[in-house]
Amino acid sequence: MDEQYSIIAIYRVYSTMNSRKKTKKGEKLVKWARHNMPVLRYAGQKLLKSQILESKKISISLSITPETANLVLALSKSGAEVSLCASHPDAVNEDVASYLREKHHFPVLGKKGVNKKTFEKNQKTVLIQKPDIIIDDGGELVEIMHRQNGKNFDNVIGAAEQTTTGVVKANKLEKSQKLQFPIIAVNNNQTKNMFDNRYGTGQSTLDALMRTTNILLAGKNIIVCGYGWCGRGLAIRAKGMGANVTVCEVDHVKALEAHMDGFRVEKLEKAIQSADVVISITGNINVISKKHINAAKDGVILAQSGHSDVEIDKKMLKRMATKVENVRKSVNEYTIGKKRIYLVANGAVLNLSAADGNSPSVMDMSFAGQIFALDYLVRNQSRLENSVYHLPSEIDDKIAKLKLKSRNISIDSLTSEQREYLGRS
Ligand code: NAI
């Protein structure tokens, strides 16, 4: 009862931040995104027909964006009881949050710029409903549940994980035999990481860099740390805008791939000496550390677009600086000796905290993947073990087919002779 009171109490606090103006604006943003999410609309209709999520309690941690609102609305329409919190302290569109609270009465917990303590409290609070299913983005809800030593595991059918970092954490839990329920790695759908991570994050990260700094990319020396799905998307887009792009990697195959794709490949400590901008997008910790800050040239701009704010050693940067000054919205200047270093969005996830996140058109596929994952979890719950699962490739095929159809693109199909030649049934 106390716990029940607590989710309502926190929800009420956030509800005081609603306003008719915000709600109206949020509604328009959600509608705009919906137009560009045909696959999600289809998946939502299927879900509604199947009634498979009827009365299921779903706790969700995702960026609070117009695209997420469309996912939440589809789940709720199909009978699920949803509660939503932000997956990053800054990843909150307050107009959208206001719309979801005021028009739909969902518990939506999040406000741009809350401190870490409030952010974590919100994440714990969405779990109070004792969820049947979790949608996580970066593994934080799953982590909280595992820290609570099984207190809330009774109902849990499983979780669906949205991003690379969350899948890394889930794999670690599985390896140490501590995982307490199945997790579907939605991030590993081809129709997720090849599109959302690459095209979506590549574009929206640059968008955020331009919005915050207003720099001209043409002719600039830009370093991309990490040549995974996100890094590839970012590097190719920066190149397309006329930047000289250098890739820094720790994986030999990825480094070779970057080299063959036409990028300069170097050690960060060397490359940073002539870099105008460094963006880390690895999912790893302290990628930009003291030695890199020491080697950097005056005026370098640092940013990161991986899952959490750990890729730049911010504590070290602060310790090394004699002065820190806010010079533009979302840009702080650190003075170190005669050198100035600029940190964008306080080192938080760049595209989510300083721009609109990824476009509806890519989140369409990611979130349709989430719906298919929940459907798969519920249908297969009796046989799934406490492991990390990838969705069958037919689901990827289905999502891709629907996306192509929405663009009026038809493709060829194999003849029976070709099928036989390729050994396919
Ligand atoms: P990935 O696993 O495909 O690529 C990461 C790359 O970073 C790997 O090639 C790895 O070798 C490299 N790397 C690791 N440590 C490094 C270091 N110290 N220096 C240089 N390279 C290093 O992962 P993906 O999918 O590209 O995701 C990267 C991060 O971005 C994750 O944290 C993920 O959760 C996050 N992400 C962020 C999104 C956003 O909207 N901002 C969207 C999707 C993912």
Side-chain angles (χ1 to χ4, degrees):
M1 196 64 192
D2 278 357
E3 288 185 337
Q4 189 58 29
Y5 173 74
S6 156
I7 194 167
I8 292 168
I10 294 186
Y11 169 57
R12 282 206 185 117
V13 170
Y14 280 109
S15 291
T16 61
M17 292 158 197
N18 300 344
S19 75
R20 206 179 287 168
K21 203 169 152 198
K22 278 187 183 173
T23 300
K24 194 88 209 140
K25 212 169 150 195
E27 184 170 15
K28 284 185 182 166
L29 291 173
V30 174
K31 205 170 156 195
W32 170 263
R34 188 178 150 75
H35 283 312
N36 292 299
M37 302 183 87
V39 188
L40 180 73
R41 291 202 303 270
Y42 170 89
Q45 281 157 12
K46 284 270 169 206
L47 201 61
L48 180 64
K49 249 189 216 158
S50 74
Q51 296 288 301
I52 203 161
L53 294 184
E54 181 69 34
S55 306
K56 294 277 182 294
K57 286 179 281 175
I58 308 182
S59 298
I60 306 171
S61 169
L62 285 171
S63 322
I64 303 177
T65 61
E67 295 74 34
T68 299
N70 278 294
L71 170 65
V72 171
L73 286 167
L75 298 175
S76 162
K77 212 168 162 189
S78 72
E81 293 169 30
V82 290
S83 62
L84 170 67
C85 68
S87 52
H88 305 87
D90 280 330
V92 182
N93 181 315
E94 291 184 11
D95 300 325
V96 171
S98 177
Y99 164 68
L100 289 175
R101 284 192 289 255
E102 198 148 283
K103 271 273 162 91
H104 297 280
H105 310 289
F106 300 142
V108 176
L109 313 181
K111 179 177 170 350
K112 218 173 178 59
V114 294
N115 61 28
K116 236 175 183 144
K117 203 170 151 205
T118 308
F119 166 68
E120 281 167 11
K121 186 173 171 192
N122 289 342
Q123 292 205 311
K124 281 184 190 151
T125 307
V126 290
L127 293 171
I128 286 173
Q129 65 168 342
K130 295 207 164 39
D132 300 293
I133 296 171
I134 292 144
I135 297 182
D136 214 352
D137 180 4
E140 271 105 7
L141 294 188
V142 167
E143 237 169 21
I144 292 170
M145 294 191 81
H146 282 74
R147 271 206 306 272
Q148 289 173 345
N149 280 333
K151 210 170 109 194
N152 285 337
F153 290 154
D154 297 352
N155 303 339
V156 180
I157 299 170
E161 173 53 55
Q162 173 72 9
T163 197
T164 312
T165 288
V167 174
V168 168
K169 290 181 190 171
N171 285 334
K172 271 199 211 164
L173 280 172
E174 181 184 14
K175 207 169 163 197
S176 60
Q177 298 185 331
K178 288 185 182 148
L179 191 59
Q180 296 294 324
F181 43 75
I183 296 186
I184 310 283
V186 176
N187 176 73
N188 294 30
N189 290 357
Q190 285 192 329
T191 46
K192 199 279 180 184
N193 57 29
M194 282 173 64
F195 297 86
D196 167 334
N197 300 26
R198 180 165 48 173
Y199 302 116
T201 310
Q203 175 176 305
S204 57
T205 298
L206 275 193
D207 171 25
L209 179 71
M210 291 189 281
R211 286 194 205 190
T212 48
T213 62
N214 198 22
I215 59 163
L216 182 75
L217 298 178
K220 291 281 186 308
N221 295 336
I222 296 191
I223 296 178
V224 175
C225 298
Y227 202 64
W229 285 113
C230 295
R232 285 187 203 113
L234 179 58
I236 191 93
R237 260 135 204 88
K239 186 177 175 181
M241 296 290 283
N244 308 311
V245 179
T246 300
V247 169
C248 298
E249 251 295 347
V250 291
D251 179 297
H252 294 111
V253 176
K254 300 270 177 64
L256 183 60
E257 185 185 1
H259 169 70
M260 298 287 195
D261 285 345
F263 296 107
R264 180 189 282 269
V265 177
E266 256 179 351
K267 282 190 171 189
L268 180 55
E269 200 174 347
K270 178 155 186 264
I272 203 168
Q273 293 170 18
S274 55
D276 300 299
V277 180
V278 187
I279 305 176
S280 183
I281 192 155
T282 67
N284 206 349
I285 193 164
N286 293 335
V287 176
I288 303 173
S289 65
K290 186 176 180 180
K291 64 178 179 184
H292 306 118
I293 298 168
N294 275 330
K297 75 168 192 185
D298 176 35
V300 70
I301 295 170
L302 305 181
Q304 75 100 25
S305 216
H307 174 73
S308 40
D309 63 345
V310 294
E311 305 211 4
I312 300 168
D313 190 346
K314 286 194 292 179
K315 276 190 194 145
M316 180 54 69
L317 188 59
K318 208 169 166 190
R319 226 176 289 150
M320 290 168 79
T322 46
K323 192 172 149 207
V324 182
E325 194 185 350
N326 180 253
V327 289
R328 275 177 72 92
K329 188 165 181 261
S330 302
V331 184
N332 284 346
E333 180 185 85
Y334 290 71
T335 307
I336 300 171
K338 288 187 178 161
K339 197 157 74 180
R340 290 152 304 163
I341 306 249
Y342 296 101
L343 182 65
V344 186
N346 198 28
V349 192
L350 186 58
N351 61 339
L352 298 176
S353 53
D356 289 334
N358 290 343
S359 297
S361 172
V362 283
M363 297 319 290
D364 184 31
M365 290 186 277
S366 311
F367 287 163
Q370 282 286 356
I371 289 189
F372 290 128
L374 303 198
D375 181 79
Y376 184 84
L377 255 178
V378 177
R379 283 186 202 282
N380 294 287
Q381 57 183 300
S382 60
R383 65 167 195 86
L384 293 181
E385 292 169 7
N386 296 343
S387 302
V388 179
Y389 289 91
H390 294 181
L391 286 176
S393 60
E394 299 85 72
I395 292 182
D396 259 332
D397 194 60
K398 187 168 163 180
I399 294 172
K401 194 171 164 187
L402 287 163
K403 193 71 179 176
L404 287 168
K405 193 173 166 207
S406 76
R407 305 260 170 114
N408 289 323
I409 298 171
S410 317
I411 63 166
D412 296 310
S413 49
L414 292 170
T415 62
S416 46
E417 182 194 28
Q418 287 168 338
R419 283 195 166 280
E420 200 179 318
Y421 184 77
L422 295 173
R424 299 210 191 150
S425 55

